Amino acid sequence: MFGTLKTLINGANARAEDHLRDTYSIELIDQKIREAEQNLKAAKLTLASLIQKQRNENRQIEGLKSRVEDLMTRARQALADEHQDLVESAAQAVADLENETTLRMQTVDRLETRILQLRHSVQAASRRILDLKQGAISARAVKREQGLQKRLNRHLGGDSPIDEAQSLIERVMDQDDPFEQSEILREIDTGMDHTNLAARMEEAGYGPKTRATAADVLSRLKAQSDT
């Protein structure tokens, strides 16, 4: 039972985490890019420090070589003058300087290897960060399109403003025409008080005509022209 509950809890946590990551995906991408840029900046500082140390070692080596050459010149002169004690001291000093030079050159070689490796890493990281920034731009555009599509889907779904507007239009169009209703009421009232009965009987040919028609006017015009 406890194993089942643990599995359910883990599943719920995983779904919640996925939902959170989906909701704040753009913010997480931007944060990861900032962290990558900070790491790249630290790597560049380390690279600069190594290069500075290498240059300092090279300067030290050049100074040691210069001192060796100077002592060798002086030792040759002392040897020519048979100052054996000075020659031996110079020889020992030259040996110490050459040993130090060898150690410093080994240090320069190690620094050169580390600098080369770190330089490649910095260049690769810089290219990846640039790719990430381009990807973030695309992801931001896709996220914006998804948001617009979701809102559009809500508007096109049930109880959307479009449906409500269509329903209102149909309701207005289905309403009775008040003018037509008034005409119908007038006709009904006229039929009920018999005011139009004489007119209907006149049109049927019963009784004298009380209203002129176009045919009557034409008849009078012909009669007048004949006379």
Side-chain angles (χ1 to χ4, degrees), residues 9 18 20 29 114 132 172 178 180 192 219 226:
I9 292 173
D18 289 341
L20 191 63
I29 290 173
R114 292 180 60 190
L132 287 175
V172 171
E180 184 180 5
M192 291 180 63
S219 297
D226 290 340

Side-chain angles (χ1 to χ4, degrees), residues 123-151:
Q123 292 173 350
S126 180
R127 288 192 298 269
R128 290 197 63 186
I129 290 175
L130 182 60
D131 292 339
L132 287 175
K133 288 183 177 180
Q134 295 295 328
I137 294 174
S138 300
R140 192 173 289 108
V142 170
K143 192 73 173 178
R144 185 163 51 250
E145 292 174 2
Q146 291 175 347
L148 292 174
Q149 186 63 48
K150 288 180 179 179
R151 288 195 293 271

Side-chain angles (χ1 to χ4, degrees), residues 72-84 86-88:
M72 289 296 292
T73 299
R74 295 176 187 276
R76 282 191 290 269
Q77 293 175 356
L79 182 62
D81 293 339
E82 296 182 353
H83 287 174
Q84 191 64 30
L86 293 178
V87 172
E88 291 178 356

Side-chain angles (χ1 to χ4, degrees), residues 5-21:
L5 289 175
K6 183 179 179 181
T7 302
L8 292 173
I9 292 173
N10 291 337
N13 291 336
R15 288 191 298 272
E17 182 178 357
D18 289 341
H19 177 71
L20 191 63
R21 290 173 68 87

Side-chain angles (χ1 to χ4, degrees), residues 93-109:
V94 167
D96 293 339
L97 292 173
E98 287 180 344
N99 289 332
E100 184 179 353
T101 301
T102 300
L103 292 175
R104 289 186 178 276
M105 290 180 65
Q106 292 174 354
T107 300
V108 169
D109 291 339

Side-chain angles (χ1 to χ4, degrees), residues 79-225:
L79 182 62
D81 293 339
E82 296 182 353
H83 287 174
Q84 191 64 30
D85 55 336
L86 293 178
V87 172
E88 291 178 356
S89 296
Q92 184 61 48
V94 167
D96 293 339
L97 292 173
E98 287 180 344
N99 289 332
E100 184 179 353
T101 301
T102 300
L103 292 175
R104 289 186 178 276
M105 290 180 65
Q106 292 174 354
T107 300
V108 169
D109 291 339
R110 289 194 300 271
L111 288 172
E112 181 67 26
T113 300
R114 292 180 60 190
I115 289 171
L116 184 61
Q117 293 173 345
L118 188 54
R119 191 186 296 274
H120 287 324
S121 298
V122 167
Q123 292 173 350
S126 180
R127 288 192 298 269
R128 290 197 63 186
I129 290 175
L130 182 60
D131 292 339
L132 287 175
K133 288 183 177 180
Q134 295 295 328
I137 294 174
S138 300
R140 192 173 289 108
V142 170
K143 192 73 173 178
R144 185 163 51 250
E145 292 174 2
Q146 291 175 347
L148 292 174
Q149 186 63 48
K150 288 180 179 179
R151 288 195 293 271
L152 182 59
N153 291 339
R154 288 196 298 269
H155 292 162
L156 295 178
D159 298 331
S160 70
I162 295 176
D163 291 337
E164 293 177 3
Q166 183 64 36
S167 178
L168 290 172
I169 291 172
E170 292 175 354
R171 182 174 179 179
V172 171
M173 297 302 294
D174 290 340
Q175 289 180 352
D176 295 333
D177 187 355
F179 178 76
E180 184 180 5
Q181 286 183 349
S182 65
E183 287 294 317
I184 293 173
L185 290 173
R186 186 179 62 79
E187 292 175 0
I188 293 173
D189 292 339
T190 302
M192 291 180 63
D193 61 10
H194 308 293
T195 55
N196 65 341
L197 180 58
R200 295 205 313 270
M201 294 183 72
E202 179 183 339
E203 291 177 358
Y206 300 105
K209 292 184 178 181
T210 60
R211 293 180 301 170
T213 64
D216 296 335
V217 175
L218 288 175
S219 297
R220 289 200 303 271
L221 287 173
K222 289 180 179 180
Q224 293 173 0
S225 63

